[in-house]
Amino acid sequence: MNVERLFQDFKINESGALDPESLKHKLEASGLLLSDISLKNVQHLIDNEKIDLKFFKKMVSENKTLRKALTGDLVIPRFDLFAEEITRFYNLTKNNCEGKVSSSIPWLGTVNPDYYGISLCTIDAQRIDLGDVNTSFTIQSVSKPINYCLALEEHGEDTVHRYVGREPSGRGFNELQLNDDHLPHNPMLNSGAIMCCSLLQSNKSSAERFDYVMNYWQQLCGGNRPGFNNAVYLSEKENADRNSAIGHFMNEKKIFPPHTDLLQTLEFYFQCCSIELNCKAISVAAATLANGGICPTTGERIFKPETVKNCLSLMFSCGMYDFSGEFAFSVGLPAKSGISGILMLIIPEVMGIAIYSPPLDSLGNSVRGIQFCKMLTNKFNFHIFDGRINRFGKVDPRNKNTEFTHRTQKVQ
Amino acid sequence: MNVERLFQDFKINESGALDPESLKHKLEASGLLLSDISLKNVQHLIDNEKIDLKFFKKMVSENKTLRKALTGDLVIPRFDLFAEEITRFYNLTKNNCEGKVSSSIPWLGTVNPDYYGISLCTIDAQRIDLGDVNTSFTIQSVSKPINYCLALEEHGEDTVHRYVGREPSGRGFNELQLNDDHLPHNPMLNSGAIMCCSLLQSNKSSAERFDYVMNYWQQLCGGNRPGFNNAVYLSEKENADRNSAIGHFMNEKKIFPPHTDLLQTLEFYFQCCSIELNCKAISVAAATLANGGICPTTGERIFKPETVKNCLSLMFSCGMYDFSGEFAFSVGLPAKSGISGILMLIIPEVMGIAIYSPPLDSLGNSVRGIQFCKMLTNKFNFHIFDGRINRFGKVDPRNKNTEFTHRTQKVQ
Amino acid sequence: MNVERLFQDFKINESGALDPESLKHKLEASGLLLSDISLKNVQHLIDNEKIDLKFFKKMVSENKTLRKALTGDLVIPRFDLFAEEITRFYNLTKNNCEGKVSSSIPWLGTVNPDYYGISLCTIDAQRIDLGDVNTSFTIQSVSKPINYCLALEEHGEDTVHRYVGREPSGRGFNELQLNDDHLPHNPMLNSGAIMCCSLLQSNKSSAERFDYVMNYWQQLCGGNRPGFNNAVYLSEKENADRNSAIGHFMNEKKIFPPHTDLLQTLEFYFQCCSIELNCKAISVAAATLANGGICPTTGERIFKPETVKNCLSLMFSCGMYDFSGEFAFSVGLPAKSGISGILMLIIPEVMGIAIYSPPLDSLGNSVRGIQFCKMLTNKFNFHIFDGRINRFGKVDPRNKNTEFTHRTQKVQ
Amino acid sequence: MNVERLFQDFKINESGALDPESLKHKLEASGLLLSDISLKNVQHLIDNEKIDLKFFKKMVSENKTLRKALTGDLVIPRFDLFAEEITRFYNLTKNNCEGKVSSSIPWLGTVNPDYYGISLCTIDAQRIDLGDVNTSFTIQSVSKPINYCLALEEHGEDTVHRYVGREPSGRGFNELQLNDDHLPHNPMLNSGAIMCCSLLQSNKSSAERFDYVMNYWQQLCGGNRPGFNNAVYLSEKENADRNSAIGHFMNEKKIFPPHTDLLQTLEFYFQCCSIELNCKAISVAAATLANGGICPTTGERIFKPETVKNCLSLMFSCGMYDFSGEFAFSVGLPAKSGISGILMLIIPEVMGIAIYSPPLDSLGNSVRGIQFCKMLTNKFNFHIFDGRINRFGKVDPRNKNTEFTHRTQKVQ
């Protein structure tokens, strides 16, 4: 790496110092936020110091993110071109007005169907925010993969899977049915998610258990405290027939851990579903999963790699309701959708994406969310089996020499 | 790359030429075969030329495989250490004498249950062969993913999937059941495989169709002509109740392409199952799939990347009978097993492995095959969701600086 | 019984003999045929003798049927009024032009959809014939209950039910599924019917086996030889996918009796379905079942009471395809329908009815047939749980004092 | 009828009056109770009057039951012989110690497994009482057919069956599944029974609704007030997971009538299951159903014939849990069992029988109850398709000339 040449790429003023704005601009074009922890120190120096070559050399040697940004070694090297494409997809999908806002819980039906936000965060904390990314919504089923992770972290894989299976159930398979071992098929179905809730901090008080989950979400999202939508929670509780049926059925089969209080478990489950976040926050949580359990904006490890591996495996095979099989085949990425219209997508070792658009298709997934995902992996080689070598046809945005020429796309 | 330093690593004789044996040894320790096309020229030069520094420089600059081998840039850089581990797994699993040889087709039941062979071939054609790797056996269901590829290449994804689904069916779901669109659930089930057969070269004669499939297998395996086990074929035909039931059921539902001759299609299907190969050959075919469709030993492209992507997707979710879900979760790699005891494993962008051991478990998979796969991904970070960054605990053999220290393993 | 009074009811000529025509008229009004065996002698005497009181007394004492007819002790005492109602139902249902002629076997689709015939025969051989009662058609699934009877007579209940179940399968339950004991659910499904065929005279030649069945039908129908529709047979054989699937599936499960030849069994099954009869003949066979196994026109015992009991039980619960449960509830009588448009109805201890009208509803039953049956048990107390005492609302035609006043009917 | 001859059959004292004891004895041998309403007046006269021929004639002409008893026209004419057989069956089945007392509701598990009672009541109020006929027990599922009758009487068939189906569901079919119209399959399953409860007097208070059911039971049983087992009720409520699951599932499907309060409905259902009766009382209720809805001991009409017909139809096809199909085939009579060990059997137009023996088989039916029913219809022609004419092998106890010779029996 030739630091001198990097230095010379910037506008240099007469005193031999580089123009702070041009450095800031360079970093922002890479999708980085100067306010992120990884660059906080850099921002301070830019704002307060005269950056001559010597100082520049020191800065570059001391800050890894800065260095990667300047040398094109961030996970998406040509981020500006990539962002252009994402924006194009956003605008194209915005025209799609199909689908219907869920009314399975009355309160959800009142939401503005036009909300549309996409946030993206790479494992190097490069970001894109498009549309209504600050609008909060309840996470609903997106709580499931995280609660599964929490159960794994607390009890280990073996114990957790004595209580819940880890395979897709087959399309159209009623959640009231259990698998051959008389367990819920997997943690992404309501039955399995209720089971995971029963496992979390079971000897704590209700308040402590909920706080425990909230703390984890806060860390996953890079530090912002999630909200809680009490109206939705009450609405869920009052319209709980399906989940009550599931819970009582499981209780009758005596498959819950000993001493499980069914009603309290159901309430805990509804509370987890009623946590409120926005696209920005969820994209960071998604990036944390993409990053093997380390939050890319704080650098903190939240989950063990093994936990993340298991979670992504089940998101991949079971995360999109009855569309899971088709999604795994055609998009080929771990994801989880919720009936509020959120779709959380993981591109392992690359990025996390949060898409929020309330109108759902008949299988309960966000219409625009699905379309966006298809466009994404149709253009880029992100499908888990796309591979990066000996391939043609798709663009590899992880490659700094890749060309982003548009090829004609075919997405239903 | 400092070629001079590479040169000096070898034994140099008084005339300034390097010792040919030490170069050969170096290449063989990398798992490469000098007889492979990629090194054929190198072998010729070693055997016939005096390799001084200048000549060495020329050789290295002209042969990519040689260069990668010398610089540690083959996909498995420290192949000797890796091979040691594979051998250890082979020896450990050899003690496992559980399982029963399939007798679903009478002729299959007569095979020697002690046969055990493992062949491995990386996308750089590095190889390991352990045990009965030259013993031929019928490929049975391993014909399914390849026939699916052939159907995709001939008709394209859209057409093929108008005739067969692309999702797992759910454990225990009877093959006589079709999916909601009244199609076989996927090409890895007998129903879907018979459907794929009906699509292949359907206006050709029986002889031409079979020859067509044989030619593809020959190319996939790097050039060796497969055999055909007529005794097994006749035995399959005489014990065809299950497949006849499936075929007639599909015929009654009028889901075959127009003008399909059911009996001829079933015979074609049985013929494909009766193709004979050995572990060595299948490992190359598997490596071809791992390599995005290009045979690593011949360098020829056999399948389009899109074809391979689709095939791996369905091998991942549906390739191991009713164990598919559990295999995808715990091993996390595309694979296909056959009741002859073969298990073909793909590590995308890394290698293909063929494991042959006739005794099967209750779900129809090779007992030793499954155990070997579990050991493999328990030790190495090959699970599709293992990832390579921010991880700990598992060994990354793609990394030239990795350590192969044994960690305690837990494999049932 | 006051015979003198009976005598005086007839027109007496000057020589003290009764008018032969008035006696004939009386018998015919009772629904009896003078040509039936039970009255053949009476007819001879009427035609050739002078019937004065003394001779009349002798005739009456010697012929049970004559006696019952004159004293109002036939099972339907006021047969003329009853026939009037049946005719009214026939005419009303004739207006129903819904339904579609089956084309599941191509040849069947060519039949005239306007054919409509109803024949009725009581256990005392009283008869009604309306419409196309001499038109022949293939019996199709009506062969099933009779083949079940033949299997019971040949092997006994215990043996037969080691091969086939005896319970309804549940609506919509696919015939390709077997019950928990891995047997066909019952002999009224194709699977169970094929099984019954495999049990009949299995060590005889094909010709002998078919002749065996034909002989039974001949006896059941009172002596007329059935026909055979070879065109339908060939059409069935050529469109046998469903049944071939079922047969191969059962063969694979190894549930057939030892030494069963599947193809021969299927052909035998198709032959039984292709037997040709008309309404007149089937009504007598139905009456034979209603009469505990004794043919009412010949007085011969064809089946044991136990055989008939078992057959009626399964016709009651399983005879009307997926409409069986609803039919048992709303009509409440044993019946069997065939896709040629035949519906054979049994009113135990009372009569048998054959209704032939090709247009079928979506469940495969004759539209007019179902409507007629509903009208019948809506008016008369023939539902198996209607009872004859402490009831009101319905007419009891077995009671000589009953009134046939029309009450308003409600039949969909 | 020659009354003088009947009179002379009795012991006549010197004053020309018959011996009261001999008349009483005659009536008791017929199975009649002098304390029943139908004979109350006769008893009074016997005790207080001198019965000479003239008075006897008057008595006989005025009392139908007396007349039938003396002329052998009660439904079971030779009741003493019949009672002997029933007693023999009771003693034989008493030796059967298989089965296990239900512990699905904890309180039920505490019952004495040796209790064994059989009460029988004909439609002419002839009675047999054997063993623990005064022991009270909760009726459990025997509440289902009666609640179905109440729903029919209140709303009519059309309305009731807009909420619940009327067909068997198929063996092993989970109660949590609904039929194709998204309704419970029938009123004999928990789902359908809960539905029927929701329909009963739905605008009344809980107390009024329960009292309404109790009043009906009182009338059905001939006037004795049923009890209520509050301990069982509380135990049911506390162990209600299965029924809660069913109820919530149905609620979620929105299939209950508008304004249904689920919890209140479930409590009402549990209350109905916790009604306490003994064999004597239930046999009268069963006889009321056998008698077309008129209680044989009080002569009061409780249900319409149409109601009874529908109820018997569904008891016949669905009354014995997963044994229903087999019971209908082999016993051939409407029946309902409850997990307390009660089995209520109806022989239409003949009698009702209550059998109480707590040990259950694996399908939830009383072991001795099933065995007794098989013995009964193996000996007597009570199977609904046994018929009474042209039969042989079985005894017809409705025939005054029948012989009760024992034939060898084969009952598992």
Side-chain angles (χ1 to χ4, degrees), chain A residues 123 148 157-158 161 166-173 180 289-294 301 303-306 308-314 316 322-326 328-330 332-334 348-350 377-378 383-392 394 407 410 412, chain B residues 123 148 157-158 161 166-173 180 289-294 301 303-306 308-314 316 322-326 328-330 332-334 348-350 377-378 383-392 394 407 410 412:
Chain A
I123 58 171
Y148 172 54
E157 179 185 324
D158 289 352
H161 288 295
R166 49 202 199 186
E167 293 188 39
S169 62
R171 188 186 272 255
F173 209 89
D180 291 349
L289 294 178
N291 199 33
I294 294 176
R301 176 168 290 286
F303 294 138
K304 290 198 281 267
E306 197 72 10
V308 172
K309 181 197 76 170
N310 290 340
C311 182
L312 295 184
S313 284
L314 294 185
F316 183 77
D322 269 357
F323 193 68
S324 299
E326 178 61 26
F329 183 85
S330 59
L333 288 170
E349 319 245 281
V350 183
T377 55
N378 197 39
H383 188 296
I384 218 86
F385 294 114
D386 263 337
R388 298 185 58 193
I389 48 175
N390 295 330
R391 309 301 164 119
F392 53 78
K394 288 191 181 181
R407 63 164 193 153
K410 177 208 57 168
Q412 297 104 327
Chain B
I123 59 172
Y148 172 53
E157 180 184 323
D158 289 352
H161 288 296
R166 49 203 198 185
E167 292 187 39
S169 61
R171 188 186 273 255
F173 208 90
D180 291 350
L289 294 177
N291 198 34
I294 294 177
R301 175 167 292 286
F303 293 139
K304 290 198 283 267
E306 197 71 10
V308 172
K309 181 197 76 173
N310 290 341
C311 181
L312 295 184
S313 284
L314 294 185
F316 183 78
D322 269 357
F323 193 69
S324 299
E326 177 61 26
F329 183 86
S330 59
L333 289 170
E349 317 246 281
V350 183
T377 54
N378 197 39
H383 189 296
I384 218 84
F385 293 115
D386 262 337
R388 298 184 58 193
I389 49 176
N390 295 330
R391 308 303 163 118
F392 52 78
K394 289 191 182 183
R407 65 163 190 153
K410 177 206 58 169
Q412 295 102 328

Side-chain angles (χ1 to χ4, degrees), chain C residues 213-234:
Chain C
V213 173
M214 287 288 267
N215 282 338
Y216 261 103
W217 270 108
Q218 182 169 359
Q219 291 177 67
L220 285 165
C221 297
N224 295 311
R225 189 72 181 170
F228 179 72
N229 191 322
N230 198 47
V232 168
Y233 168 60
L234 296 174

Side-chain angles (χ1 to χ4, degrees), chain A residues 6 32 38 40 51 144 188 220 308 341:
Chain A
L6 290 178
L32 299 171
S38 57
K40 227 167 195 168
I51 308 180
K144 287 170 181 156
M188 303 301 153
L220 285 164
V308 172

